[in-house]
Amino acid sequence: MRTEREVLNESFDESSRIIKVKIQEQPVNNYQTDSISAVGNVLELDLGTFTGTGAGDSNDVYPGYKTITWQINSNSSGTAHDVRLQGSLDGSNWFDLDTSNTTGSELRPPVNWPVRYLRVNVVSMGDASEIKVLALAKDC
């Protein structure tokens, strides 16, 4: 094992008095924000809790995860809700990736369209008073 001094001496050019620095980019192992947390290459997203119709906030999921599984937690029982997972490459033009159109809660199968931005659009609440949407995005 080399000492710190040996490493510094190797990286220091005496003739020009310049320190040479080698930068190596490392993948992020984990991080967390208000609505996003990541561990390894799995991104956990809280896409919002809705009490009415409309589009939720845009979530930047750079670098474009390849598989997205999403879960809809709804207390609808008699009339189906219409909830859409939407994706965008530019954050302005949105397209439906998948739709949940059922009563109660549901776990939707993976969507295999890598996108830069994700959001939820609740088109109809059905008879639900609250809908919460979560997602897992995986880069594999």
Side-chain angles (χ1 to χ4, degrees), residues 23-45:
I23 298 173
Q24 182 176 358
E25 189 174 331
Q26 296 291 325
V28 174
N29 287 329
N30 60 59
Y31 65 90
Q32 185 163 352
T33 67
D34 288 342
S35 62
I36 301 173
S37 65
V39 177
N41 64 348
V42 176
L43 188 69
E44 297 178 34
L45 294 145

Side-chain angles (χ1 to χ4, degrees), residues 18-73:
I18 296 174
I19 296 177
K20 299 175 185 174
V21 178
K22 180 180 179 184
I23 298 173
Q24 182 176 358
E25 189 174 331
Q26 296 291 325
V28 174
N29 287 329
N30 60 59
Y31 65 90
Q32 185 163 352
T33 67
D34 288 342
S35 62
I36 301 173
S37 65
V39 177
N41 64 348
V42 176
L43 188 69
E44 297 178 34
L45 294 145
D46 179 353
L47 295 174
T49 300
F50 299 84
T51 56
T53 60
D57 293 335
S58 170
N59 292 273
D60 187 344
V61 291
Y62 179 80
Y65 289 81
K66 294 183 178 102
T67 20
I68 304 158
T69 302
W70 61 304
Q71 176 177 314
I72 303 90
N73 299 327

Side-chain angles (χ1 to χ4, degrees), residues 2-12:
R2 298 182 314 163
T3 67
E4 184 178 337
R5 186 175 210 51
E6 290 170 328
V7 172
L8 285 174
N9 286 340
E10 184 178 289
S11 300
F12 188 74

